[in-house]
Amino acid sequence: MKINIYYGGRGLMDDPTLYVINKMQEVLEELHVTIERFNLYELKNTITTLPQTIKTADGIILASTVEWFGIGGYMYRFLDACWLYGDKEKIARTYMCPVVMSTTYGEREGKLALANAWEILGGLPCSGICGYIADIAIFDGNEDYNRIVEKRAENMYRTINQKMASFPASNQAVKQMVSITQNIDLTPQESEQLSQYAADDSYVKRQKQDIQELTSLFRDMMGTVEQEERREEYISELKEHFVPQPGFKATYKILIEGKRQPLIIEINGAVNNYYYGNIQDPDVEIQISKETMDDIIFARMTFQRAFMGGAMKMKGDFRVLRTLDQIFVFMENRL
């Protein structure tokens, strides 16, 4: 048995939906189920090809987080792609379990929206799970909540394994009578062929390799002076605004978009070292855009605000991340 998980959140560390689907994945893997995870925020440029991945699955989990209003744009784009490019015959044999956690109002509506969308596509329903989770710490040591998640995963396994039937839904009847898939200047066959062509891994890899070769070629054609300036970018600003913290020791690896190598920051009390290179097992690994890094350097943003606002991703110790704003005090922090 194989189950695909399509996660439509933003990948934040404190996202309760991530906790739930990780727990469900553990239970299903104990039942010898093959799990494949698709994070839509990482695949946002290829979402139209993802319906092809349903063909190899016996069931799927559609998971999203209500942070403001509704289930979010990534999940809607994926469902649109299923409607335009999905194999309707395969979808009709595929079970779907909706998982919607909210940090605000609307988890029940989000779960219902996913269930309705899948039934309109012709798919088979599974009992889902939804809840309002203001703080992910509520799961720690709460056996009742964890048991609920485990039972939902077990129910999904039994439903798929036993191929449980369900009554027809009225929204499927409405779809058969009045719904017409709209195509933009393409026939249904052309749309399906386009989706399959875009989903061709060898083609996509070949295109990526060509782009990388061209990028390297033009990058090498740039002047050596400009390359040297880019190699030292941000280092002088960080040195200038460094504030030692007695006894504090940490290593940061910052991957900045457009840079060939990550920026490494090594702190040991008053000793600080900066260079572009690589390092194994840093205390904190950060992914950030050049625009956001500039905002931090010019005191329009802090590291913590960038992380909380979703403009920066991180892996590692969150307490070590928070210390960045203490050891690098820019003008905004001094006022």
Side-chain angles (χ1 to χ4, degrees):
M1 182 186 298
K2 181 184 178 186
I3 293 177
N4 291 352
I5 300 176
Y6 300 90
Y7 167 66
R10 293 189 294 140
L12 300 180
M13 185 173 60
D14 57 350
D15 188 343
T17 302
L18 281 176
Y19 178 90
V20 172
I21 59 178
N22 287 338
K23 190 70 175 178
M24 293 182 72
Q25 181 171 341
E26 290 178 8
V27 175
L28 291 169
E29 287 177 341
E30 289 176 0
L31 296 170
H32 306 290
V33 175
T34 301
I35 302 293
E36 187 170 4
R37 176 87 68 89
F38 298 90
N39 295 324
L40 301 186
Y41 68 92
E42 294 177 344
L43 304 168
K44 57 187 177 183
N45 294 327
T46 57
I47 284 180
T48 55
T49 69
L50 292 183
Q52 297 298 318
T53 62
I54 299 176
K55 291 184 176 181
T56 61
D58 300 294
I60 68 171
I61 294 173
L62 295 183
S64 191
T65 307
V66 178
E67 296 182 277
W68 171 63
F69 185 80
I71 58 176
Y74 294 138
M75 185 58 69
Y76 278 119
R77 287 177 58 193
F78 173 70
L79 292 170
D80 284 345
C82 290
W83 177 253
L84 293 170
Y85 308 119
D87 184 339
K88 302 301 192 298
E89 292 184 4
K90 178 60 179 74
I91 289 176
R93 303 191 302 271
T94 305
Y95 291 88
M96 189 279 293
C97 175
V99 175
V100 179
M101 297 289 114
S102 77
T103 56
T104 180
Y105 174 81
E107 70 281 356
R108 295 182 185 275
E109 291 78 1
K111 175 187 169 186
L112 181 61
L114 290 179
N116 284 340
W118 194 248
E119 287 183 339
I120 290 174
L121 286 166
L124 300 170
C126 283
S127 176
I129 182 171
C130 66
Y132 166 70
I133 307 296
D135 186 352
I136 195 173
I138 195 173
F139 287 112
D140 294 339
N142 194 317
E143 294 299 327
D144 292 334
Y145 288 167
N146 287 311
R147 194 175 297 113
I148 291 173
V149 177
E150 292 170 0
K151 291 298 182 184
R152 288 293 188 276
E154 293 169 0
N155 287 341
M156 183 181 186
Y157 174 81
R158 281 192 291 270
T159 299
I160 298 174
N161 190 49
Q162 299 174 16
K163 300 187 184 303
M164 293 183 179
S166 60
F167 284 113
S170 60
N171 49 21
Q172 291 183 0
V174 171
K175 179 201 73 169
Q176 294 170 1
M177 289 187 292
V178 302
S179 296
I180 300 175
T181 302
Q182 298 294 326
N183 294 289
I184 305 174
D185 299 327
L186 294 172
T187 66
Q189 293 80 7
E190 288 171 337
S191 296
E192 186 69 20
Q193 289 172 359
L194 176 63
S195 180
Q196 292 175 352
Y197 184 65
D200 186 343
D201 288 341
S202 62
Y203 173 79
V204 174
K205 286 181 180 179
R206 196 160 56 247
Q207 295 299 310
K208 287 183 177 179
Q209 289 174 355
D210 291 343
I211 292 171
Q212 289 176 352
E213 290 176 1
L214 287 171
T215 302
S216 299
L217 175 63
F218 284 109
R219 188 174 291 160
D220 292 340
M221 291 172 63
M222 296 171 60
T224 56
V225 175
E226 183 179 356
Q227 290 181 356
E228 189 66 27
E229 290 176 352
R230 287 179 177 271
R231 193 176 298 121
E232 296 298 319
E233 192 173 16
Y234 302 123
I235 290 179
S236 61
E237 290 86 354
L238 291 170
K239 287 182 178 179
E240 181 182 350
H241 295 89
F242 175 71
V243 178
Q245 301 293 316
F248 178 75
K249 181 179 180 181
T251 304
Y252 300 89
K253 180 179 179 181
I254 305 178
L255 292 90
I256 304 170
E257 288 182 3
K259 293 289 187 182
R260 289 187 178 183
Q261 292 184 313
L263 173 60
I264 306 301
I265 302 176
E266 297 174 338
I267 305 297
N268 187 356
V271 178
N272 54 101
N273 187 30
Y274 316 84
Y275 60 91
Y276 284 93
N278 213 334
I279 192 172
Q280 298 294 325
D281 301 321
D283 296 302
V284 172
E285 182 175 320
I286 294 171
Q287 293 184 6
I288 192 169
S289 67
K290 187 178 187 305
E291 291 75 14
T292 303
M293 191 68 181
D294 289 340
D295 286 343
I296 294 172
I297 293 296
F298 293 103
R300 294 189 293 265
M301 177 78 71
T302 64
F303 286 102
Q304 187 172 353
R305 282 172 55 194
F307 173 75
M308 298 303 293
M312 182 178 81
K313 301 175 185 177
M314 67 83 68
K315 291 191 297 184
D317 192 332
F318 182 67
R319 291 172 297 181
V320 177
L321 172 68
R322 292 179 59 184
T323 310
L324 269 175
D325 290 322
Q326 299 174 13
I327 59 178
F328 297 110
V329 181
F330 298 98
M331 185 182 301
E332 184 184 49
N333 298 352
R334 292 175 177 176
L335 297 178

